[in-house]
Amino acid sequence: MTDEQQEPSQVTTSPALRIADAGLAFLRTAPNTLDAAQSKTMTEAAQTVKPFLDLIGFAKGRATYYTDKAAQAGVEAALHKRLFSLDRGLYAMLCTLPGVTDRSRQAAIKTLLSRPLGRGQGLLSEGEEGHLVEALLKSMPITRQLKFFRLLKAERLNNSRTRKLILKTILRSPRLELWSTRYRKLLRSALSHALGQRMTSVLRSILAKDEAQRSLREQRILRQKLGRWVRAPQQALVFDCVGFVLGLEAGRQRPLLKAYVAAKTRLEDGRTLSTETLEGLRSCYHKDRSFKEVLELTKSQLTKGQSLKLQATARAQEVSIDFVASAHSAVELYVYAFKQGMTEAISEALDAKAKKAAEALSLQSQHVGVLLDASSSMAGSREQKLRPMARALANRDVLAAASERCTIVTCGGQASGRLHTPGGPTALSLGLVELLGAKPERVFVLSDGYENAPSGRFMQTVAALRRLGLNTPIVQLSPVFAADTQSVRALAPELVPALPLPQPKALALTMVRAQLDSEPAEGLKSLCQSLFQGLLTRTIAGTKRRALARPLEDLGQ
Amino acid sequence: MKNTNTVTIQDMLRGCRLGRLQSAGLMQVIPLLSALNDPYFKNPSETLVSTKGYGKLHFENRSDQPVLVPCHAGYVVKSSSQDHAMAHAGFVASKANGQFDTAMCIQETQPGLISASERQLLILPYALREAAFEGRSEVKYDKLWASIREFNRDFGVSQRGNLATFLKSFERELNGFIAEFEAVPEQVGAVIFIDGQVVGVERCPSQDYFESVWQALIRECYGSQALKVARQKAQRGESLGLKNSSLPEDLEDLEALKQALEDLQSQDAAWAREQIKELLNEPFTLEPEQSLGDYQLYTVNNRQFLGQVVQHPSGRMPYASLIVRREWLVSKAWQRAQSFSIDR
């Protein structure tokens, strides 16, 4: 047993935060009001939930403009531990919120798998938690899922829940054949971890034989270890793909597996493979051929993400690749537009995405003011070039689409249509006063919080506004999460709440987060109930696992 | 042989105009803007930097343009090699190598030579630059160790001559300066103030060149000095912020607030102009150091400043890096001190 795999009774929780023996189970009955004790407990719990919400919308493990990787990792681990200790069910559910980063979801899955289930489980039952873990995993791209399995292997996390999760994810996938050619090594690593080295070797030996030559015992082993995870009609496919993944190339039946083997001899036979797979084969077996030929052969197989990333390469190689703007997030599209230029297709996609994300906000009857900081620090670090500005612009669009009327004032930078390239000093005070002259009902300040014209003037200005009796609610949304403050850098601490600025589809999460500031107990109750009833009711009703993924799509995932 | 000509800051800043004052904590920066770019010189970011012996910094310039190595450029490397810095600025001709045997080791306890590679630039902390200037002609690799030891002691870190110790211990604080003082469009230089006192004037040949050196200047060079002054003030129990002008308390409406903000902005601009005006006309003597093509590198000094400039025969000066002498700052502190009174 590792240090992390403690018996339930040894998991320490603060008495102030532990919600009696029933955990948060009272929320399952959807109470309309909280009694005094419940309200007090929820208010305390909100203090743990708030920094966790700030983290999970941001954490990517990269150094930021301001803090290094190690500092970031330490803060993340501490916040995960605190919320898990509060209630593991709430912890799991919060990670299903739209806009939560894959890194945060991975950390949550690892924590949940490594801690044994038991009494005092929390808001969710064992089964509910199991379904949720699968949904969290499936919300990530397959490469992330497989690399996550590799991480579990490195950390020797190999309990029965982990093994089950890995085998179900891989063997039940309708894309197993494609994955086998694309992610062969990662799949082999994951399967050997889940099945064990010895059993993997046994299975390889059995799969190397023709079906007719396998003994009854060998057939039983195949069914028990591999076949049991899928329906009978799928078993042959699973055996074929697993055999390939384990290095058996002769005698493959599936078209993509055959194409892979054939392409080693003749490059053109690999045209149904993915670009990177065929490129890998070209670089090993057809060194005299060019990448351009690979691109021409496989361009119809490119994923949407690849088509975006390869646009510049394709242009340089004079190969034309279709680019589907609507398949990418608004932030990705803005980052792309900064580098390659804004097009009508991108602009239309941005409008559509903003409109969709705006549906989750409740600003429709309001006049909203947006103060956009376009100073140089919004350009971001070398690792995240222009991403903070892209995030701010995408959220600007959502706020504009969500409100009846939107007044936008931009400070600094250089505008080119809807693009705004950051540059120059941060002088937000006059911008704020100009914005308030238009009399918005609430103001959102999109800024990383670094001010130098001079520092502190924004806070002085807000204090002066309050003295004038101008109490327009102002919220600062920052596209940068700083490890040193475990949150964001505030322009006017105690006068203007400062929250992380998430992906646009998760702006509603930020609104929830804002409510936790103003009404912690009620805000947390509403959040828990909404998560629990909206997501898990369908699971409790016995729908398939895929139905659990659907709520994430509904939320704009 | 000394050149008997003199120059002034007004000459050095020809073609520049003042940008908007930036102020955060104890530091203030007045950007120097210019539409003029002298594209002759490149920055050393793509040069291969190495050491060919202790105290021998070597630059391999693979580009078609000559490189101007900025004054007190330093290189702190992750590998087990001794960090080094220049004792002055230097030219490296195009498609050529340049070696400076007057360079200094800035890592007392680490042996090993730096292998040739593109390296991230730093500029020596302000507090070390005067000592570096004074020993600039000396061929002695350990000439800065005593100063680095004293510098580290002032910050309460190791007492060895390893600059990297300070940089690692105060990494987070130093990074903050990069975010707080952003380069603005057309910026080619800056006048830097700490605790209301000018401490440096920097001017670069072009906007690109400036952007390539600004982080090193604002972070290691002047940022370190801001941290030092903050520590001293904290030890004396003094307030750490500058007295920025405040908004009046008796404003009547939004229009009045807007006017008040604009007035403060004008006051900031007037203050900036006043500070620069005081610096403009004091003459500097010039001491020639190195030439490349038509350009000449000089060491310049007057009572207040010490530094280096690059001059073209036409009179234009595309590069200047000046620091205020420690003695000047000390005497200014005496002048600013309150008169004696038995009532205090």
Side-chain angles (χ1 to χ4, degrees):
Chain A
M1 189 183 288
T2 67
D3 286 345
E4 289 186 337
Q5 291 170 328
Q6 299 171 342
E7 293 293 342
S9 60
Q10 292 172 6
V11 172
T12 52
T13 56
S14 160
L17 295 176
R18 183 148 178 97
I19 323 276
D21 289 334
L24 286 167
F26 70 92
L27 290 171
R28 295 168 77 115
T29 61
N32 284 329
T33 53
L34 299 169
D35 63 34
Q38 289 169 341
S39 186
K40 181 171 184 283
T41 307
M42 293 293 272
T43 302
E44 286 170 350
Q47 301 314 309
T48 300
V49 170
K50 283 193 297 187
F52 185 72
L53 287 180
D54 292 344
L55 168 75
I56 58 177
F58 272 89
K60 285 188 191 286
R62 298 181 199 137
T64 70
Y65 203 74
Y66 320 111
T67 51
D68 67 16
K69 262 174 126 163
Q72 290 279 93
V75 169
E76 285 173 38
L79 290 173
H80 274 266
K81 191 175 171 185
R82 270 178 71 194
L83 189 55
F84 178 85
S85 298
L86 175 67
D87 188 287
R88 67 187 287 157
L90 176 61
Y91 171 69
M93 288 200 299
L94 287 174
C95 292
T96 65
L97 287 167
V100 174
T101 65
D102 286 348
R103 180 182 168 85
S104 296
R105 287 191 172 146
Q106 285 177 355
I109 296 171
K110 191 157 76 79
T111 303
L112 292 165
L113 288 176
S114 64
R115 298 317 208 264
L117 302 166
R119 276 189 303 149
Q121 179 66 15
L123 183 55
L124 302 182
S125 68
E126 290 182 27
E128 288 160 358
E129 182 180 304
H131 284 301
L132 217 110
V133 165
E134 286 180 34
L136 284 174
L137 184 67
K138 283 196 167 46
S139 69
M140 294 183 244
I142 180 56
T143 43
R144 290 239 166 102
Q145 294 181 41
L146 294 176
K147 285 177 184 169
F148 176 62
F149 293 156
R150 191 171 59 186
L151 174 73
L152 296 178
K153 181 177 179 177
E155 299 200 6
R156 299 193 185 181
L157 188 53
N158 196 12
N159 54 36
S160 65
R161 282 184 296 146
T162 305
R163 294 196 297 271
K164 191 173 160 186
L165 180 69
I166 293 172
L167 290 170
K168 279 167 85 173
T169 302
I170 294 174
L171 300 180
R172 285 187 182 176
S173 170
R175 310 188 83 194
L176 178 57
E177 184 186 343
L178 174 65
W179 290 358
S180 300
T181 59
R182 265 193 168 164
Y183 311 119
R184 198 176 186 186
K185 276 189 190 159
L186 285 171
L187 283 174
R188 183 160 61 230
S189 168
L191 285 173
S192 74
H193 178 61
L195 294 164
Q197 297 277 22
R198 197 158 62 150
M199 180 49 65
T200 303
S201 180
V202 165
L203 288 169
R204 189 179 190 281
S205 305
I206 298 173
L207 290 167
K209 297 180 180 176
D210 286 340
E211 196 175 340
Q213 292 175 333
R214 292 170 194 158
S215 67
L216 286 173
R217 185 160 176 268
E218 286 170 340
Q219 288 173 38
R220 195 169 58 243
I221 291 173
L222 282 185
R223 280 198 305 275
Q224 279 174 353
K225 297 297 173 187
L226 300 175
R228 64 186 271 239
W229 300 105
V230 297
R231 294 208 170 112
Q234 304 302 314
Q235 287 182 7
L237 180 152
V238 166
F239 297 159
D240 200 22
C241 292
V242 172
F244 175 81
V245 164
L246 297 183
L248 302 168
E249 292 193 351
R252 294 301 108 204
Q253 301 298 313
R254 303 301 304 170
L256 284 181
L257 308 185
K258 285 160 89 168
Y260 185 100
V261 177
K264 287 185 176 180
T265 310
R266 191 169 169 267
L267 192 69
E268 285 75 7
D269 287 344
R271 68 175 62 246
T272 52
L273 298 172
S274 66
T275 303
E276 71 269 17
T277 304
L278 192 60
E279 170 58 14
L281 291 170
R282 182 205 66 78
S283 64
C284 285
Y285 301 101
H286 305 281
K287 290 187 166 79
D288 56 318
R289 308 288 291 273
S290 69
F291 173 65
K292 182 178 173 178
E293 291 177 82
V294 168
L295 206 51
E296 276 292 357
L297 284 169
T298 60
K299 62 184 182 184
S300 62
Q301 311 299 330
L302 286 172
T303 64
K304 294 158 190 171
Q306 286 172 326
S307 70
L308 180 73
K309 288 183 180 120
L310 282 175
Q311 283 297 316
T313 308
R315 270 206 291 278
Q317 301 278 350
E318 293 171 356
V319 176
S320 119
I321 299 179
D322 288 338
F323 165 63
V324 181
S326 58
H328 304 283
S329 74
V331 175
E332 282 170 353
L333 288 175
Y334 268 116
V335 172
Y336 176 82
F338 274 125
K339 290 180 198 158
Q340 311 284 356
M342 182 64 72
T343 67
E344 207 175 305
I346 294 176
S347 193
E348 281 171 9
L350 286 168
D351 285 337
K353 286 175 188 302
K355 196 172 163 194
K356 182 162 186 202
E359 287 164 9
L361 301 182
S362 51
L363 299 169
Q364 284 79 10
S365 59
Q366 297 190 28
H367 173 196
V368 161
V370 174
L371 182 62
L372 179 60
D373 175 359
S375 64
S376 297
S377 59
M378 292 285 283
S381 65
R382 242 175 283 171
E383 288 189 24
Q384 300 219 50
K385 194 119 180 83
L386 289 168
R387 199 161 273 267
M389 194 70 217
R391 194 173 274 231
L393 292 175
N395 279 281
R396 170 201 64 180
D397 295 347
V398 173
L399 290 167
S403 47
E404 184 178 317
R405 185 179 152 208
C406 185
T407 305
I408 301 172
V409 169
T410 306
C411 298
Q414 208 159 18
S416 171
R418 71 192 297 164
L419 268 184
H420 217 102
T421 307
T426 314
L428 296 171
S429 306
L430 272 168
L432 178 63
V433 171
E434 183 189 333
L435 187 56
L436 287 170
K439 297 187 173 45
E441 289 164 76
R442 59 177 63 244
V443 167
F444 295 93
V445 181
L446 309 184
S447 168
D448 60 2
Y450 281 90
E451 183 193 20
N452 62 14
S455 67
R457 184 132 312 152
F458 186 86
M459 186 157 65
Q460 289 179 8
T461 304
V462 174
L465 289 166
R466 299 304 184 230
R467 285 197 298 271
L468 285 172
L470 280 163
N471 295 314
T472 311
I474 305 173
V475 172
Q476 177 196 343
L477 301 176
S478 171
V480 177
F481 177 82
D484 56 349
T485 55
Q486 290 197 12
S487 186
V488 298
R489 189 174 170 116
L491 283 165
E494 294 179 23
L495 289 178
V496 172
L499 302 170
L501 182 63
Q503 293 274 353
K505 64 191 174 202
L507 199 48
L509 167 65
T510 300
M511 303 301 181
V512 162
R513 172 65 180 82
Q515 195 190 5
L516 288 184
D517 271 335
S518 55
E519 299 172 295
E522 276 303 313
L524 186 55
K525 175 174 84 78
S526 303
L527 175 61
C528 290
Q529 287 174 330
S530 154
L531 284 171
F532 181 74
Q533 283 158 13
L535 295 178
L536 295 198
T537 303
R538 297 184 212 209
T539 311
I540 292 167
T543 53
K544 298 290 180 193
R545 222 172 32 250
R546 271 181 209 166
L548 189 62
R550 212 170 65 233
L552 295 175
E553 290 162 16
D554 290 347
L555 287 164
Q557 185 66 7
Chain B
M1 186 172 162
K2 272 198 184 179
N3 190 321
T4 53
N5 286 343
T6 59
V7 291
T8 61
I9 286 183
Q10 188 161 35
D11 299 325
M12 295 174 202
L13 302 188
R14 182 182 296 276
C16 292
R17 63 188 191 279
L18 299 183
R20 185 175 175 167
L21 177 69
Q22 298 178 13
S23 175
L26 286 174
M27 196 184 293
Q28 290 164 299
V29 169
I30 301 175
L32 298 169
L33 314 180
S34 178
L36 299 174
N37 282 298
D38 187 335
Y40 185 74
F41 288 109
K42 218 171 140 60
N43 68 69
S45 59
E46 290 165 23
T47 317
L48 297 182
V49 181
S50 59
T51 47
K52 298 299 183 190
Y54 296 125
K56 299 178 194 307
L57 257 174
H58 185 270
F59 296 87
E60 184 186 333
N61 180 11
R62 298 167 294 174
S63 106
D64 293 330
Q65 280 174 271
V67 158
L68 169 60
V69 181
C71 196
H72 302 140
Y75 299 94
V76 169
V77 301
K78 285 191 175 129
S79 59
S80 301
S81 319
Q82 201 176 60
D83 303 332
H84 269 68
M86 294 278 286
H88 45 76
F91 299 136
V92 183
S94 63
K95 300 275 192 207
N97 298 332
Q99 181 161 312
F100 299 92
D101 294 346
T102 49
M104 310 167 291
C105 156
I106 54 175
Q107 192 176 24
E108 182 179 355
T109 58
Q110 174 65 57
L113 298 181
I114 300 174
S115 59
S117 183
E118 293 179 8
R119 302 278 174 193
Q120 181 155 353
L121 173 78
L122 66 81
I123 304 285
L124 282 179
Y126 169 87
L128 296 175
R129 292 185 67 185
E130 193 167 348
F133 269 127
E134 282 162 2
R136 69 187 180 280
S137 305
E138 217 180 339
V139 176
K140 192 167 178 288
Y141 68 89
D142 60 356
K143 55 190 170 179
L144 206 63
W145 285 357
S147 300
I148 298 175
R149 285 186 213 127
E150 186 188 339
F151 177 80
N152 280 345
R153 256 199 313 273
D154 288 345
F155 277 99
V157 297
S158 157
Q159 297 195 17
R160 308 306 296 271
N162 298 332
L163 186 60
T165 312
F166 161 76
L167 295 174
K168 194 171 158 65
S169 302
F170 289 87
E171 186 177 358
R172 199 175 51 154
E173 291 87 341
L174 291 171
N175 284 343
F177 292 106
I178 300 176
E180 281 168 349
F181 293 96
E182 306 141 322
V184 300
E186 290 197 322
Q187 187 168 2
V188 296
V191 182
I192 301 99
F193 298 77
I194 292 172
D195 200 18
Q197 284 286 302
V198 63
V199 291
V201 178
E202 305 283 343
R203 194 238 167 110
C204 294
S206 65
Q207 292 148 34
D208 282 346
Y209 192 104
F210 176 77
E211 278 181 26
S212 74
V213 301
W214 179 233
Q215 279 200 11
L217 282 168
I218 201 62
R219 187 180 185 273
E220 291 96 22
C221 178
Y222 295 107
S224 62
Q225 184 63 13
L227 292 179
K228 187 172 180 185
V229 172
R231 280 175 74 88
Q232 289 165 350
K233 288 177 78 108
Q235 281 159 7
R236 292 193 298 261
E238 293 173 20
S239 137
L240 292 186
L242 279 174
K243 261 194 181 171
N244 287 322
S245 28
S246 315
L247 289 165
E249 300 253 332
D250 56 349
L251 297 166
E252 287 184 355
D253 53 27
L254 208 54
E255 197 52 44
L257 173 56
K258 185 178 172 203
Q259 187 59 55
L261 284 168
E262 284 169 352
D263 289 346
L264 285 179
Q265 213 171 296
S266 303
Q267 284 174 31
D268 289 344
W271 181 87
R273 281 196 301 276
E274 208 46 50
Q275 303 308 305
I276 302 295
K277 202 165 138 187
E278 284 184 12
L279 308 176
L280 287 180
N281 296 312
E282 188 76 14
F284 287 75
T285 57
L286 297 115
E287 189 177 334
E289 300 285 0
Q290 187 189 0
S291 64
L292 182 71
D294 289 336
Y295 290 85
Q296 176 70 49
L297 174 71
Y298 291 100
T299 297
V300 294
N301 71 87
N302 63 17
R303 287 176 308 157
Q304 186 175 3
F305 288 97
L306 173 59
Q308 292 199 314
V309 301
V310 169
Q311 190 176 39
H312 185 269
S314 64
R316 71 173 182 264
M317 304 178 83
Y319 177 81
S321 180
L322 312 174
I323 56 162
V324 170
R325 294 174 182 278
R326 195 185 312 199
E327 181 52 39
W328 177 271
L329 288 175
V330 167
S331 71
K332 271 287 180 183
W334 276 92
Q335 287 172 23
R336 286 189 341 185
Q338 287 178 297
S339 336
F340 175 70
S341 167
I342 57 173
D343 295 325
R344 262 192 293 133

